[in-house]
Amino acid sequence: VFADKSAPLQLALCMSNGAFGAPIDKVKAELDRIRGFGVGLVAAHSHRPDTPFPAGHFGARGSGIADLANAGLLGPDLHLSHGNGLTDTELALLRDSGGMICATAMGEFPYKARGLPGSVHGRARAAGVAAGIGIDVGVALTADYFEHIRAAFWNLYLDPEGAAIASGYKSDDTLDFATRLGAKAIRLGYETGTITVGKRADLVLLRTDRFGFAMMGNLADRVVNFASLPDIDSVWMAGRAIKRDGQMIGVDWPRLKSRIESIQERVEAQVATISFT
């Protein structure tokens, strides 16, 4: 299925949940097996345990970044989700090894209210770690990516390092973060993220005539502050048109929506039969 290394859809693999807290030799065996498939990206959730794991385990020190570093397991293919609470030292280890972070800024706002560290997005950027924007809890949060771009920007103000970045930020910088730096944060900066000769033609064309879409100010300001999914008129992926005039090409949305509703009803009925007692 993933034999074509130039196809827009590529295979990535995620470390098992059981890897965190496991003996480091077991983690090494798992990572060796994952990397043996030739994938370009290895994903993993990154958290700091309430109680450190025993020495020699993944998570014995902080989030476990140092444990991976000592075992020679960090690398430019490692892509961490969240990373809340990463220390300056851990961020430096990621930066020096070429690792990446996916910060789910909107979903991480409530962490502060629970006494947990907020999004690492700003601190990662300041430390020189490639950081992208993720969407967490898809069943509860909007899939409108423009909203998540704005959340990532506002998150900058939650930490001194991020606030320093935001103090000189322009909307062009925010768009750059969502495009060029976003591509870099999934190891695709050489292939997409900017409109450049030799890169893949991934393009999004927006309408700006919607009532409520600001009419004053430069275009970058208007896109960052007001754009939303309904404003996307056309999309090209690798030079192939997949959306025109606001409609997906070759997608029967009413039929697809009906199928989704049918699946939801079936799954809900099955869930109702489960007893946890």
Side-chain angles (χ1 to χ4, degrees):
V1 175
F2 295 100
D4 183 359
K5 295 297 183 182
S6 65
L9 185 63
Q10 293 294 319
L11 176 67
L13 291 173
C14 185
M15 295 173 65
S16 64
N17 285 339
F20 195 54
I24 202 69
D25 58 343
K26 182 178 180 181
V27 176
K28 182 180 186 305
E30 180 173 314
L31 280 172
D32 286 347
R33 183 165 185 253
I34 289 174
R35 286 165 170 158
F37 287 111
V39 299
L41 189 147
V42 181
H45 273 64
S46 176
H47 297 290
R48 182 175 298 278
D50 295 330
T51 303
F53 291 102
H57 289 62
F58 178 25
R61 290 173 293 171
S63 66
I65 301 298
D67 303 318
L68 295 179
N70 283 0
L73 297 176
L74 293 182
D77 57 354
L78 189 61
H79 187 268
L80 301 181
S81 294
H82 305 302
N84 304 70
L86 290 180
T87 66
D88 293 343
T89 300
E90 290 171 328
L91 287 171
L93 287 170
L94 274 181
R95 177 198 62 216
D96 295 344
S97 63
M100 305 154 285
I101 286 179
C102 173
T104 62
M106 183 182 289
E108 291 161 357
F109 268 114
Y111 287 21
K112 287 279 190 177
R114 293 160 50 195
L116 300 173
S119 177
V120 76
H121 160 225
R123 293 182 54 242
R125 292 281 308 283
V129 179
I133 306 171
I135 300 177
D136 198 14
V137 198
V139 296
L141 298 178
T142 178
D144 189 330
Y145 197 63
F146 294 100
E147 292 294 338
H148 292 273
I149 293 171
R150 287 186 276 268
F153 171 75
W154 289 116
N155 246 292
L156 288 174
Y157 289 96
L158 297 181
D159 295 298
E161 299 90 342
I165 295 174
S167 66
Y169 236 39
K170 304 295 183 185
S171 291
D172 284 328
D173 299 314
T174 305
L175 290 179
D176 182 65
F177 168 58
T179 53
R180 182 181 67 86
L181 295 181
K184 182 181 178 182
I186 52 174
R187 295 193 70 194
L188 288 177
Y190 64 92
E191 189 171 331
T192 187
T194 59
I195 302 174
T196 305
V197 174
K199 286 192 177 182
R200 206 169 67 191
D202 294 331
L203 305 170
V204 177
L205 182 65
L206 303 176
R207 296 186 65 97
T208 61
D209 57 355
R210 169 176 55 83
F211 183 79
F213 198 111
M215 299 171 62
M216 298 178 63
N218 70 54
L219 184 58
D221 286 340
R222 294 158 63 199
V223 169
V224 168
N225 291 317
F226 296 98
S228 62
L229 280 182
D231 298 319
I232 298 178
D233 179 89
S234 303
V235 176
W236 291 264
M237 184 173 66
R240 182 173 67 90
I242 60 174
K243 188 173 187 177
R244 288 190 187 277
D245 300 321
Q247 299 296 319
M248 295 292 292
I249 297 174
V251 176
D252 186 342
W253 172 238
R255 179 174 177 272
L256 182 60
K257 188 171 185 293
S258 176
R259 287 185 60 197
I260 293 172
E261 290 173 346
S262 175
I263 292 169
Q264 286 178 327
E265 291 176 357
R266 174 170 55 80
V267 172
E268 286 177 355
Q270 291 174 338
V271 169
T273 66
I274 298 174
S275 174
F276 292 97
T277 57

